[in-house]
Amino acid sequence: MRTGLFGGTFNPVHNGHIAAMKAFCEAAKLDRLIIMPTGTPPHKRFEREVSDADRLEMLAAGTLGEVSDYEMKKEGKSYTVETLEYLKSVYPNDDFFLYMGSDMLLGFETCWKRTEDIMKMCSIVALSRTGDDIEKLKAYAE
């Protein structure tokens, strides 16, 4: 099964998130989408404007996939590599695809934990948010 992971703070969920989820599902030809609201992001300060319960409820009501509270329940910072390890234990036969906005991909090697392990566990699908960084994305991917 082709399973996508779409994470974020979703603080709050907005139409840009929904559009990105649709584009991700189409681009990666996903069978399943797991939406993972972050608990404590390691990359940025996160001041909750919306409660965890409200974020989960909004995602369940307005999105295209299965919503997981795994990172919210986890203690400490939420690292994608640990989330992927967990998901691989739950769905050991799935092929995983990780959604990243272009800004996150361009900082992948310098800002993310255990990038080589992430790349072993999944394929990264990066979509440009603005369209003006396509050439940077192509160069980085190479």
Side-chain angles (χ1 to χ4, degrees), residues 41-77:
H43 306 310
K44 61 183 176 181
R45 187 180 163 132
F46 178 41
E47 296 192 25
R48 285 170 171 73
E49 295 174 27
V50 179
S51 72
D52 287 352
D54 286 344
R55 289 190 298 149
L56 288 170
E57 188 174 321
M58 285 186 290
L59 286 165
T63 58
L64 313 166
E66 169 188 330
V67 180
S68 173
D69 63 357
Y70 169 76
E71 287 190 359
M72 288 180 164
K73 289 182 173 180
K74 194 172 167 277
E75 294 207 11
K77 292 183 179 182

Side-chain angles (χ1 to χ4, degrees), residues 85-114:
E85 288 170 338
Y86 163 74
L87 290 173
K88 291 289 263 183
S89 74
V90 175
Y91 306 107
N93 298 317
D94 286 15
D95 294 320
F96 281 89
F97 298 82
L98 173 64
Y99 170 84
M100 269 189 213
S102 54
D103 57 333
M104 289 285 103
L105 179 65
L106 293 172
F108 182 63
E109 291 176 297
T110 58
C111 297
W112 290 58
K113 181 179 179 178
R114 295 175 43 207

